[in-house]
Amino acid sequence: MKLHGYFRSSAAYRVRIALNLKGLTAEPAYLHLRKGEQAAPAYTALNPQKLVPTLEDEGAVLTQSLAIIEYLEERHPHPALLPADPADRARVRAIALAIACEIHPLNNLRVLNHLRDRLGLDEAARNDWYRHWVSEGFAAVEAMLAGDPRTGRLCHGDTPTLADVVLVPQVYNAERFAVDLAPYPAIRRIAQTARALDAFAAADPDRQPDAE
Ligand SMILES: N[C@@H](CCC(=O)N[C@@H](CS)C(=O)NCC(=O)O)C(=O)O
């Protein structure tokens, strides 16, 4: 397997965590997003969206981190990242999607660049945008976690699921942009618990060979 990514890409970070949880290794290939390497023709031939990550496995070229993780789940079912019960699976996916679909795309590098280059927003305004969407999204995720008895030491019970795999990278990003996380005690507690696990710790952006 080969994983095309970037140390700070939270979508690639999700896939690194999932690979580690499943005891899988992928040869890394690095693209420097701030230098625009995701737009190079050799890469867009693999990923026409010009986004990381992309996973290559046995001739298959896979894009979109959640599709990649579900592929890994199907190919390597143990340990499972989704619970057995359909309603529980839907809950775990809903937490993951609340982050991956409702928070992350609004704060992507290309969105922040557009706010700067086309709409003329200065850094303070861009940071305000960033923090607004994380805060609004995290308020909802906090309610989903704090208000549900199925929440345990982690998002769903005590073993890592897809929800934790998506939550931790978003918390890392929020910290980088100095989002106030005080209003989200369940998120903070769960992220701290998950990050202490080897699979999460080894996937941390600051521990990747391309980290700056
Ligand atoms: N929904 C996609 C999001 C991928 C994505 O947005 N990747 C970011 C890094 S986290 C990226 O490549 N950004 C490049 C850019 O904005 O130009 C996924 O989950 O794979």
Side-chain angles (χ1 to χ4, degrees):
M1 277 192 282
K2 185 183 217 178
L3 178 64
H4 301 260
Y6 176 62
F7 74 108
R8 264 197 191 133
S9 157
S10 51
Y13 187 2
R14 295 170 194 157
V15 175
R16 290 197 301 268
I17 297 168
L19 287 166
N20 291 346
L21 284 168
K22 289 186 176 291
L24 301 169
T25 50
E27 173 200 344
Y30 302 113
L31 295 129
H32 199 300
L33 297 189
R34 291 198 176 275
K35 292 183 182 163
E37 291 176 0
Q38 66 276 30
Y43 184 68
T44 61
L46 296 175
N47 188 326
Q49 287 189 288
K50 305 178 190 166
L51 299 170
V52 295
T54 298
L55 185 78
E56 295 186 74
D57 186 30
E58 294 181 6
V61 178
L62 309 167
T63 63
Q64 284 291 337
S65 62
L66 295 193
I68 293 170
I69 293 168
E70 295 247 6
Y71 166 85
L72 294 173
E73 180 81 351
E74 288 165 14
R75 290 291 305 270
H76 308 274
H78 303 293
L81 298 180
L82 289 166
D85 177 74
D88 290 343
R89 292 166 83 84
R91 175 180 187 250
V92 166
R93 287 188 172 116
I95 295 167
L97 293 172
I99 296 165
C101 297
E102 315 300 344
I103 301 176
H104 180 262
L106 288 162
N107 289 342
N108 206 349
L109 178 64
R110 61 185 178 174
V111 172
L112 299 177
N113 286 346
H114 187 78
L115 293 174
R116 181 192 62 202
D117 300 338
R118 297 289 292 275
L119 303 179
L121 267 60
D122 63 15
E123 189 178 352
R126 293 197 306 277
N127 285 344
D128 182 70
W129 166 282
Y130 191 103
R131 291 176 191 138
H132 170 77
W133 293 114
V134 174
S135 302
E136 186 160 305
F138 269 7
V141 171
E142 178 71 18
M144 293 164 88
L145 292 170
D148 194 313
R150 290 170 291 182
T151 301
R153 291 180 65 243
L154 295 167
C155 287
H156 192 87
D158 297 334
T159 50
T161 62
L162 179 66
D164 305 294
V165 166
V166 177
L167 178 69
V168 164
Q170 192 62 59
V171 169
Y172 173 91
N173 279 358
E175 289 169 350
R176 215 161 62 80
F177 280 81
V179 176
D180 178 15
L181 295 178
Y184 319 114
I187 289 176
R188 281 189 290 117
R189 175 183 64 73
I190 289 166
Q192 189 181 7
T193 304
R195 281 164 140 179
L197 302 173
D198 289 347
F200 287 78
D204 190 280
D206 301 332
R207 288 182 56 180
Q208 304 316 303
D210 63 330
E212 291 166 349

